[in-house]
């Protein structure tokens, strides 16, 4: 490795010997070399997992992207309801998953990020009371209400014990593929059932991770993919919507 200043150092040393200027630093030299007493302001670092510092809440706009879409769903206790029943008057983060997904950048990532958002919301009671997380399975054949109840436990909370309209995070099944199809199409959430070499379904789905930010007027305001899904950005976006409604 080259050291560009090595030649300069050598010249200075020779000059110092020849001119006897190395006898010691002068008072002026000592003053120049004294450590600065000015306060050093440290720059904030990006949150872990992000390569940039998210803009502060309220410093940007989130224009509506599309209307949110309603559809038939089933709660973990087997009760049929509508998706909009769970949106209510909350700001919502909606995620589509299937519980057998093994893609580390797919459903497990979405659920893990929402779990971190849920933990962050515990530090802000006002924001938490205005937000709901919704996880809806797109595998109605295997993700029954009972399976989704167990998935809720695995995700970090016994949410099924809380009345359905007060849960901070709800886990929902779909009554059938036919009932689910218009919901997926309405949100632009594409899924493809994978098949093996013999043409038989493997039980896996090809899909792009998407999490939807929905406001109180039931409009999609952001769509997070793998590259942009992060607790810090989601929390800041939620706060931005709250500030927008308060202005």
């Amino acid at each position: 490795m080259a050291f560009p200043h090595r030649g300069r150092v050598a010249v200075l040393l020779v000059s110092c010997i020849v001119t006897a200027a190395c006898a010691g630093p002068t008072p002026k030299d000592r003053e120049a070399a004294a450590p600065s007493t000015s306060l050093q302001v440290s720059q904030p670092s990006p949150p872990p997992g992000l390569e940039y510092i998210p803009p502060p809440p309220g410093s940007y706009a989130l224009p509506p992207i599309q209307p949110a879409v309603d559809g038939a769903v089933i709660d973990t206790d087997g009760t049929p309801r509508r998706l909009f029943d769970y949106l209510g008057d909350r700001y919502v983060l909606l995620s589509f998953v299937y519980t057998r997904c093994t893609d580390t950048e797919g459903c497990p990532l979405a659920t893990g990020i929402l779990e971190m958002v849920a933990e962050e919301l515990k530090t802000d009671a006002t924001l938490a009371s205005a937000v709901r997380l919704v996880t809806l399975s797109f595998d109605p054949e295997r993700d029954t209400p009972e399976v989704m109840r167990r998935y809720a436990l695995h995700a970090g909370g016994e949410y099924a014990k809380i009345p359905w309209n007060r849960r901070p995070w709800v886990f929902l099944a779909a009554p059938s593929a036919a009932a689910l199809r218009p919901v997926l199409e309405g949100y632009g959430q594409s899924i493809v059932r994978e098949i093996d070499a013999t043409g038989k379904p493997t039980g896996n789905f090809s899909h792009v991770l998407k999490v939807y930010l929905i406001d109180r007027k039931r409009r999609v305001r952001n769509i997070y993919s793998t590259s942009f899904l992060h607790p810090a950005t989601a929390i800041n976006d939620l706060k931005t919507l709250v500030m927008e409604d308060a202005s």
Side-chain angles (χ1 to χ4, degrees), residues 90-196:
R90 303 285 188 104
Y91 304 98
V92 170
L93 289 172
L94 169 65
S95 172
F96 293 99
V97 305
Y98 74 108
T99 62
R100 300 193 185 198
C101 180
T102 58
D103 182 358
T104 56
E105 294 189 354
C107 307
L109 174 62
T111 302
I113 294 296
L114 289 191
E115 188 171 352
M116 286 187 276
V117 170
E119 287 299 313
E120 184 68 22
L121 288 173
K122 291 178 181 178
T123 66
D124 188 334
T126 301
L127 182 63
S129 66
V131 173
R132 176 167 288 137
L133 312 180
V134 178
T135 296
L136 172 59
S137 170
F138 54 74
D139 187 6
E141 294 179 6
R142 296 178 299 181
D143 287 344
T144 63
E146 173 59 24
V147 170
M148 294 307 292
R149 188 188 70 80
R150 294 197 301 267
Y151 191 70
L153 289 172
H154 179 72
E158 178 53 287
Y159 297 107
K161 291 184 178 179
I162 303 173
W164 71 272
N165 58 347
R166 290 172 47 200
R167 294 176 203 158
W169 191 353
V170 295
F171 295 80
L172 305 171
S176 66
L180 181 64
R181 189 174 301 113
V183 177
L184 296 177
E185 291 176 352
Y187 284 99
Q189 176 66 76
S190 174
I191 64 169
V192 177
R193 189 182 296 272
E194 295 181 356
I195 58 175
D196 61 21

Side-chain angles (χ1 to χ4, degrees), residues 9-53:
V9 172
V11 171
L12 288 175
L13 285 173
V14 172
S15 176
C16 186
I17 293 171
V18 172
T19 63
C22 292
T26 66
K28 185 177 181 180
D29 294 331
R30 284 193 295 268
E31 180 180 354
S36 173
T37 57
S38 60
L39 181 63
Q40 299 297 318
V41 179
S42 60
Q43 296 297 318
S45 300
L50 275 182
E51 297 180 356
Y52 62 93
I53 300 173

